[in-house]
Amino acid sequence: MLDLEERVSRVFNPDVRPLVREAYRCYASGAARAAIVLTWTAVCADLIHKAEILKEDGESDARGLVEDVERAQQPGQADAVNIMLGVERSILDIAEKLELIDRTQKMQLERLREDRHLCAHPSLRPLGELFEPTVEYARAHLAVALEAVLVHPPSQGRKILESFMVQVADPAFTFDAQYLSYAFFDRVRPSARAKVVQFAAKFALLQIDDPHVTIPSGMLADRMAMCLRHFAERDAALATDCVARHADRLVKAEPAVQLAALARLGDLPAFWASLPEALIAQFNTRIEGIGKAERTGALPADETKVLALVANAEVRASLPALEGAFAALHVSDRCRVIEQRPDAYFAAHLPGVLEEVGNFDHGQFVARTAVLPCAGVLSLSDLRAVLRAWWDNDQCFGRAMPGYLIELYTATSHLGEQRDAVWREFLEELREFKVLFNQLAAGTGLLDVQAD
């Protein structure tokens, strides 16, 4: 059941909050008629305040209502009551036009307005019968008022979308989950929230080139994907529904757009829940082609990101070609894939990667792009296998490699004291190489006595 007391504490306008609290106290004490009157009063005060804010923001549809209120507030205004009665009659129509409420909410609030009149003017009923609302009826009105109006800022559907796009498309954009939730999820009406999530899903999937945006479409799509992931954490069902609305357009999109969408959202459950089997099969065929392709340069970025999905067990089940395509890559491309998504899955591949190091420079590349990124997810057996492979290939010990080994030692601190035992075994094998031994012994701080 809706926690009314908690919702009352979230009323957006601090000036209206005392009215709502009073309405809640009336409901809680059984004074249903007073609760309904106060609830409508709070709704009117809140909508007038929001109209004033929107007028200051340049919203022309709010101007007439605000001017009427200001005219009624003038000292000595003899017709103030009639003016405010007119405001009260039109306020829901204007609120709907301003997108502060939707059609369904307007109908519910119209019922509240009519019941307020019945509570305040009992003579309106035929035969002189008194209108006696129940506390449950008063509670329903208060719940509607809170959900439709009172807990929300003066946000309009289209204004929210415009603001969301401005934020995400800003060249200086920095992803902030707390701000994203506050500005575009928690403090907006459910209908506006759905529009925002659907907007993020559309751009993340289809990589739309918006002429009003200065950043590249791929960058915008990546940012929208970050937002969509966060929204999916807050409401997985909503995210799934929003992605599904654009799945058919993705089926018809260019192959490059499809592959980019897979790279961007391939580990998001909402993405897979919306894809038709035909598109999944096409993805699998594309991945097989990536594994078989002959290339002279590095693996393209989108293909690298796609193959990095091999670390996800659920994606591997949907796209069985991933493992074969990853294994078929040149060792440097495998390292680039590992760097995209460091994961325990790749730990078993690291010894094989180290075995293929052909020179000192390549050894540094492998250490930097594959071994060190995965250091934090290695198990003790993984670490022992990596150090053994490192020792077995003398091409891994050139130039800066002692520095990389010291970094690896530091990055495997999650293994605790047992880690030191593994490293001592490794160092003992190096004792005859005095310079290297002394560098590593000093860098790790494991052995107090250096080699002579």
Side-chain angles (χ1 to χ4, degrees):
M1 181 178 288
L2 187 68
D3 186 345
L4 281 185
E5 191 169 9
E6 186 271 333
R7 296 300 172 95
V8 168
S9 68
R10 288 172 45 201
V11 169
F12 176 77
N13 187 342
D15 295 330
V16 173
R17 204 172 296 142
L19 274 175
V20 183
R21 285 175 178 157
E22 188 176 354
Y24 177 77
R25 287 195 298 272
C26 289
Y27 149 71
S29 63
R33 185 178 289 107
I36 292 173
V37 171
L38 284 166
T39 298
W40 173 248
T41 303
V43 167
C44 288
D46 189 72
L47 290 177
I48 288 170
H49 174 71
K50 288 172 180 174
E52 290 171 346
I53 294 175
L54 294 177
K55 174 181 175 289
E56 292 173 0
D57 290 342
E59 180 59 70
S60 59
D61 289 331
R63 185 175 297 115
L65 183 141
V66 173
E67 290 176 350
D68 285 345
V69 173
E70 291 174 346
R71 186 158 54 91
Q73 292 171 340
Q74 292 295 320
Q77 175 57 260
D79 206 27
V81 173
N82 287 330
I83 294 173
M84 289 309 297
L85 287 174
V87 168
E88 194 173 349
R89 282 193 295 270
S90 64
I91 196 165
L92 295 181
D93 292 327
I94 295 172
E96 183 186 19
K97 188 178 293 185
L98 292 172
E99 296 185 342
L100 294 172
I101 58 175
D102 60 28
R103 179 62 182 166
T104 300
Q105 291 165 336
K106 179 187 172 186
M107 293 171 63
Q108 293 173 317
L109 293 172
E110 284 174 339
R111 180 72 255 181
L112 168 62
R113 180 174 58 191
E114 293 304 315
D115 287 345
R116 177 268 171 199
H117 295 336
L118 289 174
C119 289
H121 306 288
S123 60
L124 288 175
R125 294 198 66 185
L127 304 178
E129 297 175 357
L130 290 176
F131 177 63
E132 296 184 7
T134 63
V135 290
E136 290 82 6
Y137 201 53
R139 184 187 192 284
H141 278 314
L142 183 55
V144 166
L146 285 163
E147 283 301 290
V149 176
L150 298 173
V151 299
H152 302 301
S155 59
Q156 304 163 280
R158 64 179 183 274
K159 293 287 187 180
I160 282 290
L161 287 181
E162 290 171 5
S163 177
F164 179 63
M165 175 60 103
V166 168
Q167 291 285 340
V168 178
D170 188 331
F173 169 81
T174 301
F175 179 78
D176 186 326
Q178 184 177 5
Y179 172 77
L180 195 70
S181 289
Y182 180 84
F184 304 111
F185 199 90
D186 294 331
R187 305 290 287 181
V188 300
R189 292 186 292 108
S191 57
R193 181 186 307 151
K195 289 180 181 178
V196 169
V197 179
Q198 189 177 150
F199 193 72
K202 178 176 70 173
F203 277 86
L205 281 172
L206 304 175
Q207 196 170 313
I208 297 170
D209 190 6
D210 191 318
H212 301 101
V213 174
T214 57
I215 63 173
S217 59
M219 180 184 294
L220 179 62
D222 289 342
R223 292 178 177 184
M224 289 292 186
M226 294 169 63
C227 298
L228 180 62
R229 287 176 186 281
H230 177 66
F231 294 145
E233 291 175 2
R234 300 297 310 278
D235 191 334
L238 175 60
T240 299
D241 179 67
C242 291
V243 172
R245 290 173 181 268
H246 303 288
D248 285 342
R249 292 180 64 184
L250 184 62
V251 171
K252 302 169 186 175
E254 296 178 2
V257 172
Q258 294 175 338
L259 193 68
L262 175 61
R264 197 175 291 121
L265 299 169
D267 60 349
L268 185 67
F271 178 76
W272 291 101
S274 310
L275 294 186
E277 289 297 327
L279 185 55
I280 295 175
Q282 183 179 353
F283 281 147
N284 201 58
T285 302
R286 289 286 303 278
I287 291 168
E288 288 178 350
I290 293 172
K292 296 175 182 177
E294 295 183 5
R295 57 181 63 86
T296 55
L299 190 68
D302 279 345
E303 294 183 3
T304 302
K305 292 176 183 178
V306 165
L307 292 191
L309 293 169
V310 71
N312 187 301
E314 294 180 356
V315 180
R316 288 199 303 272
S318 298
L319 301 174
L322 277 171
E323 290 192 279
F326 173 70
L329 293 176
H330 183 273
V331 61
S332 296
D333 283 334
R334 268 179 279 151
C335 289
R336 294 185 182 95
V337 169
I338 293 171
E339 185 181 28
Q340 283 291 326
R341 191 184 292 270
D343 189 88
Y345 170 83
F346 293 120
H349 295 269
L350 294 180
V353 168
L354 287 165
E355 289 172 5
E356 295 187 52
V357 170
N359 56 62
F360 295 158
D361 289 339
H362 191 218
Q364 292 185 63
F365 174 82
V366 169
R368 185 175 64 252
T369 59
V371 179
L372 288 178
C374 288
V377 296
L378 296 180
S379 66
L380 283 170
S381 60
D382 294 331
L383 176 60
R384 186 173 280 109
V386 166
L387 292 177
R388 169 53 56 188
W390 208 308
W391 166 247
D392 287 342
N393 189 341
D394 58 6
Q395 299 299 320
C396 292
F397 286 101
R399 303 178 201 171
M401 296 312 283
Y404 286 124
L405 280 167
I406 292 170
E407 285 188 56
L408 179 61
Y409 171 79
T410 302
T412 51
S413 61
H414 65 284
L415 297 175
E417 294 181 1
Q418 293 176 296
R419 167 197 66 163
D420 291 353
V422 175
W423 278 91
R424 285 193 175 95
E425 293 172 12
F426 179 61
L427 283 172
E428 286 299 331
E429 295 193 58
L430 296 176
R431 185 175 284 275
E432 63 180 285
F433 302 94
K434 295 179 182 179
V435 175
L436 179 59
F437 175 88
N438 288 337
Q439 284 180 297
L440 293 178
T444 60
L446 288 175
L447 299 179
D448 296 330
V449 180
Q450 295 185 334
D452 295 332

